[in-house]
Every structure is written in structure tokens, then in C-alpha cells.
Amino acid sequence: MSAVERRPVVTAGVEAVPVGELPPVGRVPSHMHAQVVRPDRYGDPATAFAPELVPTPPIGPDEVLIAVMAAGINYNNVWAARGYPVDQVAVRRKRGETEDFHVGGSDASGIVYAVGEDVTGVEVGQHVVTHPGWWEADDPWVREGRDPMIANSARIYGYDTNYGSFGQFTRVQAHQVLPKAEHLSWAEAAAPTLVGTTAYRMLHGFAGNTVEPGDVVLVWGGSGGLGTQAIQLARLAGATPVAVVSDPDRGAYAEKFGAAGWINRREFDHWGIPPLVDDKAGQKQWTGQARAFGKRIWDIVGERKDPAIVFEHPGAATIPTSIFVCRPGGMVVICAGTTGYDAMVDLRYHWTRQKRLQGSHGTNDAQATAYNDLVRDRKIDPVLGRTIAFDQIGAAHAAMGRGEDVFGNISALVGSAAPDAGRA
Ligand SMILES: NC(=O)c1ccc[n+]([C@@H]2O[C@H](COP(=O)([O-])OP(=O)(O)OC[C@H]3O[C@@H](n4cnc5c(N)ncnc54)[C@H](OP(=O)(O)O)[C@@H]3O)[C@@H](O)[C@H]2O)c1
């Protein structure tokens, strides 16, 4: 696979503008303001992010430079700021990239300012959003026409790649660019695409276990970024979403977006690795709690019907319960391990009940377009919980890392000066 050759698209004489302002469309300053993470600041996101003036990114032949109007906050840059589990700067430098810093941000709404020479279908001045799936066009897997998000070169934009949306200009591959929903403000438009496309792939992407009318779908973190999107997508498909949350306010929030009901996980304490098979008494106690949890799902649904799909991302704490309550032949689909990576599966039940534990990551272009069309058709709400200023990006990631204030998505204003600007 070839390294991308990139060139600056800077317009001579154009200086960096303050955050909240834009240079004339198509005129690109040499430098830009960004919230930057550096390895010597890895740790608490509150201090790992700092405002800096950095060079505006150069672009390759198939890339696009977008002036960011608003940037969505996602959990992935909590991880990037911690430098754990992956030191993104070190990984990229091993690949030959020269920057010793990380500008994250995997959701942008904005205006196209420049396009590479091979780009077709994207033009300067267009109002757009970005999806987070990134891959190399000449990756053999991609060339064979297979799902590019499974390719060796697949990455998440603004997490694995530099120059995400926490700068005044962001660099994306042309295929990541999607039309912005005209009825949404810049802040609303920047909020949902990463979590929404991820949820779309999880619910619609795995043949044999795609969401169907009448299915019960159990959604962990039902008030969160992923959760509020999964609930809406399950409803739209005719399924019955049941949320798991950690307090009644979060439960009510999940119901507002379509959950049939919610379970407060704090009423149970069987989380993490269950007692091992030889511990008969411990296993009995654990199974009792898992059964009681499953019965709460039946109570909400109004019949003894187990989830056909369990929408997972907490990971270590919840996987044993997810697999236990999943219906025979059903699927636990997981895109993260927020609570840890060492999860246990009791294989006896897994094989005899023929359940599926499916990993999922990011989105491909078809899934992203299908999801974005639902947003543009007003069938999916972006669930913008709160809008913040550019200088609050670090603090917002720190709060997210502590699990505070989990009500939908957060957007930061970058080029947009007002929270509700940008509606057509
Ligand atoms: N692979 C991908 O493509 C992809 C894409 C998007 C996100 N992710 C990952 O998915 C995770 C969630 O993202 P998000 O945007 O939804 O974050 P979020 O909005 O902050 O939500 C996190 C949710 O996790 C739940 N949670 C926290 N501790 C829990 C526990 N011990 N047991 C059960 N649930 C727990 C919280 O719900 P309660 O505390 O109310 O239960 C909260 O709703 C992150 O790790 C993120 O990096 C991965």
C-alpha cells in the first residue's frame, strides 16, 4: 500500500482567524487553532487537551479540507487523551507520519474549503458532515470489494488519524463526506454521525442477525451517545428496545427516544466475571441475579421474550449477563469495552444455545449513507444533549470519562459562533 503524498493548500497572505470566525470560503490560512493532545500531557483529558496554533493540514489527491463549524465529542478521544490503550501519536510516527501531536475529533459539520485533484462529487462551498470510516483505497481487501471497515488499513477518523474535528480545519477522505441535514444547526449536525453509524452497523450489518420487526433489543447505556441512537434505530425497524441505565433520569431520557422501558443496573450486583463452573453455590447465586435481570426485560416487554440482539459496549462488566439473556440464535454485538477487556463467556450455554458474539467497529460508506439519509429525512433525532464552547473540549472529555451527565451527544462550537446557527 502506498503512503499518501500530501500538499499544503494554503492561500498566500491568509492568516489564522479567531475561533468562531471563518476566512472567505476556499481561502485557507497557513495555521489554525486546535485543541491539541501531546504525549507529555497524556492522562486526564482535562489537562491533556490544550489550545495551540498548528499548521493547517495538507491534503492528498483523494482528500478534502473542511472548515469545521462544530465538532462532536466522542468517548474515543477520552482514550486518545489518556494515551491508553493506544498511544496514537507513537503509532502514527511508526507509520512515518511526522506530527508529534494529536488533533482528535471524529464528528464534524462544516464547509468544504479545498479538494484534492482526484476528488469528484465534493465541491468547495458544500455544507457537509463526516463519517468516521477511513481506509486506504489500494488496500488489497478494499480492492477486492470487501467491507472496507474490516481491511487492515481501516481506521477511525479523528481517533486513529490526525487532524480530526477539534481544529478549525479537518482533513478527511472524500468518501467520508456526506451532505449535512439542512434542518439541523451546525451543532446538531455534528452530534450523531459517529455513534449513529456505529449503531446502524451493529443493528443492520451482520447478516443472519439483523434487527427485525418484533425483536426485543437490549441497549446498554440507553441514555448515552450510542444508546439513544440504537434505541431510535431499533424502533424504526419495528423492534422493541429496552434500555439499561444507572438512574431514573437516564431511564426517562431513553424512553423519550423510544425505549419501551428501562432497567436500573444499580439494582443488581452480579457484574464482572461470574463465579467459575466448579463453584456451584456461587454460580447458583449469579444465575439467580442474571435470571432476575432477564425477568425485568420480560416485564417491560409484557411477554417472556428474550432479546434477539443485545447492543453491547460496557464489555467486561456486562458481557456474561448479555450472553445469558440473549435469545437462542441471537446476537450480542459489541463495539467497545468501556469497563474493561477481560470478559468471560460460559461456553456451555454459548454453543448449546447457538448464540453469536459479534465484534463491530466503525462504519462503511453504504451504512453511513443509509444512516445519514434517516437523519436528513428527520426519522432519526441527532440527540444533541448539550452544546459547549471550543475551550471546554478537554473538560467535556474528562466528564465523559467519569461517566457524568450522560444525556445524548455533545457538540463543541468551532467556526460557528452561535448554538443554533446553520439551519437552512
Ligand atoms: N467501535 C466503535 O466504532 C465505537 C463507536 C462509538 C463508540 N464506541 C465506544 O463505545 C463506548 C460508549 O460510547 P458512547 O458514545 O455511548 O459513550 P457515552 O455516551 O458516554 O455512554 C457510555 C454509557 O456507558 C454506560 N456505562 C458506564 N458504565 C457502565 C457499567 N459499569 N455497566 C453498564 N453500562 C455502563 C453508561 O450508562 P449508565 O451508567 O447510565 O448505565 C453510559 O450510557 C465508548 O467506550 C466508546 O469509545 C465505539
Side-chain angles (χ1 to χ4, degrees), residues 66-83:
I66 297 169
V68 179
M69 299 303 282
I73 310 289
N74 288 292
Y75 212 107
N76 58 6
N77 274 280
V78 175
W79 303 117
R82 290 175 180 158

Side-chain angles (χ1 to χ4, degrees), residues 140-155:
W141 181 275
V142 177
R143 278 174 172 265
E144 283 167 21
R146 298 167 183 242
D147 185 338
M149 204 56 228
I150 303 176
N152 274 336
S153 65
R155 318 234 189 281

Side-chain angles (χ1 to χ4, degrees), residues 192-206 211 219 225-234 309 311 333 335 360-363 367 371:
T193 314
L194 177 126
V195 283
T197 55
T198 302
Y200 189 95
R201 180 179 178 89
M202 290 168 77
L203 294 172
H204 291 283
F206 299 100
V211 64
V219 180
L226 280 172
T228 47
Q229 293 299 315
I231 286 168
Q232 292 185 78
L233 288 166
I309 299 183
F311 187 92
V333 58
C335 71
S360 188
H361 194 45
T363 179
Q367 290 158 346
Y371 169 77

Side-chain angles (χ1 to χ4, degrees), residues 73-77 79 132 149 156 194-195 198-199 202 220-228 244-247 250 263 265-266 271 311-315 317-318 334-339 360-363 400-401 403-404 406-409:
I73 310 289
N74 288 292
Y75 212 107
N76 58 6
N77 274 280
W79 303 117
M149 204 56 228
I156 299 293
L194 177 126
V195 283
T198 302
M202 290 168 77
W220 291 98
S223 73
L226 280 172
T228 47
V244 189
V245 292
S246 56
D247 68 44
R250 294 183 186 193
I263 302 169
R265 65 178 170 85
R266 299 223 186 266
W271 309 118
F311 187 92
E312 251 285 355
H313 47 93
T318 52
I334 182 160
C335 71
T338 318
T339 65
S360 188
H361 194 45
T363 179
M400 188 176 242
E404 293 169 8
V406 185
F407 296 99
N409 297 299

